[in-house]
Amino acid sequence: MKYAFFPGCVLESAAKEDYLATVAVAKKLGIELEELDGWTCCGASHVQDIAPEITLATNARNIALAEEKGLNLLTVCNTCTLMLREAKNELDKNEKEKNEVNKKLAQIGKQYRGTTDITHFLWVLIRDYGLDKLKAKVVKPLTGLRVAEYYGCHILRPQTELGFEDYQMPTSLAELISAIGATPIDFSRKLDCCGFHAVYPAHDSVMQMTGSINKDAATEGADCVVTPCPLCQMQLDMFQKEAKEVVGGGKDMPILHMSQLVGLALGISPPDEMGMPKRHLTDTAAVTKFVG
């Protein structure tokens, strides 16, 4: 099982721990990730608003890099998944636009063909690898760990672009959490937006959103929050202290990347291979104690 790997900007830098955990988990499961040579930013929330045609051509190029390898393209970031799938959907249904984009790509010796699928690591674990196989690889079941499942917007909505599961009643994270021995909390805010893309223009409102997510996870009995999106993880972890003051307190809530949680169950060393706890602002000891 092999994929072209598009880490995206955030895994390259701010969420390096998610990169480490994803690569370690993939290796443990025998999933081969071949990182794209020369990938570029998907342009989300910045370039797309100013120059959508450039964003489309840029992501066509990213997809073309995977097509050259004859591999489907795997991402870990929800927003990158959405941007790449939006680009593919637009190009595949509009021949004229595809031709215009390929005129641009021809200048650098590239061509978008539409032969590569865009997938997320969560979807790969659920659909391609399979939960039964994953269960068989678990060496440290996370028995007793109560996990609030938090999806993030861009892996669910809009469903026309994503379509993996019902955006109003998703189950993939709960199924994954159960497969590794932990207890999923049917978290009341699991479909809420974390506010990452609006943190600067709407700071006060976003702190209320972020604080409410973390506080309610604690109120509903979770030991931690897990998300498949590195941007959501950053928002809920990085701004947790400030957001707690806005909503009136609440206990510290560890925020884990999905790959880190799976890695713990697979027996991967947290400090050495997955950036825990040194790359987290909120202490993760409440989670790592479950694996000794």
Side-chain angles (χ1 to χ4, degrees):
M1 188 176 289
K2 185 175 181 179
Y3 299 88
F5 182 34
F6 181 89
C9 303
V10 68
L11 262 69
E12 184 84 350
S13 52
K16 187 71 173 181
E17 70 277 6
D18 197 10
Y19 182 97
L20 296 172
T22 298
V23 171
V25 167
K27 182 178 180 181
K28 200 82 169 179
L29 297 178
I31 300 172
E32 189 174 351
L33 301 180
E34 185 174 333
E35 184 171 338
L36 292 177
D37 184 22
W39 63 266
T40 52
C41 175
C42 71
S45 80
H46 298 293
V47 182
Q48 71 179 104
D49 295 331
I50 300 168
E53 71 287 349
I54 292 176
T55 303
L56 182 62
T58 297
N59 284 316
R61 175 188 170 277
N62 284 325
I63 298 169
L65 294 175
E67 290 178 341
E68 290 174 352
K69 297 178 180 294
L71 298 171
N72 287 331
L73 191 156
L74 179 147
T75 76
V76 178
C77 176
N78 289 9
T79 300
C80 291
T81 303
L82 175 60
M83 293 295 293
L84 290 161
R85 286 180 71 89
E86 278 188 333
K88 177 175 174 59
N89 184 60
E90 190 169 342
L91 293 168
D92 288 353
K93 71 180 183 182
N94 190 324
E95 192 69 22
K96 181 179 179 181
E97 200 158 32
K98 177 180 173 182
N99 291 336
E100 288 300 316
V101 163
N102 275 330
K103 287 179 184 178
K104 295 182 177 72
L105 295 185
Q107 298 176 41
I108 55 170
K110 302 295 179 185
Q111 182 183 9
Y112 173 84
R113 295 180 175 85
T115 57
T116 283
D117 189 26
I118 315 298
T119 191
H120 189 286
F121 196 35
L122 171 62
W123 302 347
V124 166
L125 293 177
I126 296 287
R127 178 180 58 198
D128 301 346
Y129 192 80
L131 292 180
D132 288 340
K133 285 178 65 177
L134 179 62
K135 286 180 185 178
K137 294 286 187 178
V138 171
V139 297
K140 293 187 176 181
L142 303 180
T143 307
L145 180 66
R146 294 170 60 82
V147 182
E149 51 190 274
Y150 183 75
Y151 287 85
C153 306
H154 292 163
I155 201 168
L156 297 172
R157 304 185 288 272
Q159 189 159 3
T160 52
E161 306 291 355
L162 298 158
F164 180 77
E165 59 191 320
D166 187 333
Y167 75 99
Q168 294 180 310
M169 299 181 65
T171 61
S172 58
L173 264 181
E175 292 168 4
L176 182 69
I177 292 164
S178 297
I180 57 177
T183 301
I185 301 297
D186 191 15
F187 184 35
S188 61
R189 293 189 179 272
K190 66 183 179 182
L191 305 183
D192 283 13
C193 175
C194 72
F196 178 88
H197 293 287
V199 70
Y200 295 115
H203 176 271
D204 293 348
S205 296
V206 169
M207 288 305 107
Q208 182 71 41
M209 294 160 64
T210 298
S212 296
I213 291 166
N214 288 334
K215 187 175 183 179
D216 286 5
T219 300
E220 294 174 31
D223 298 307
C224 67
V225 174
V226 68
T227 177
C229 179
L231 303 180
C232 293
Q233 191 281 335
M234 286 173 56
Q235 179 67 26
L236 298 178
D237 184 40
M238 184 166 58
F239 289 100
Q240 185 166 152
K241 183 177 180 180
E242 182 180 357
K244 280 169 65 177
E245 295 175 359
V246 173
V247 298
K251 73 174 186 178
D252 288 350
M253 179 57 58
I255 314 295
L256 267 64
H257 298 283
M258 178 195 73
S259 296
Q260 290 178 316
L261 189 73
V262 174
L264 289 174
L266 296 179
I268 297 170
S269 168
D272 295 337
E273 298 183 54
M274 299 195 296
M276 298 170 65
K278 66 180 180 179
R279 291 190 61 87
H280 290 252
L281 296 182
T282 307
D283 192 6
T284 59
V287 177
T288 55
K289 71 179 183 181
F290 281 86
V291 292

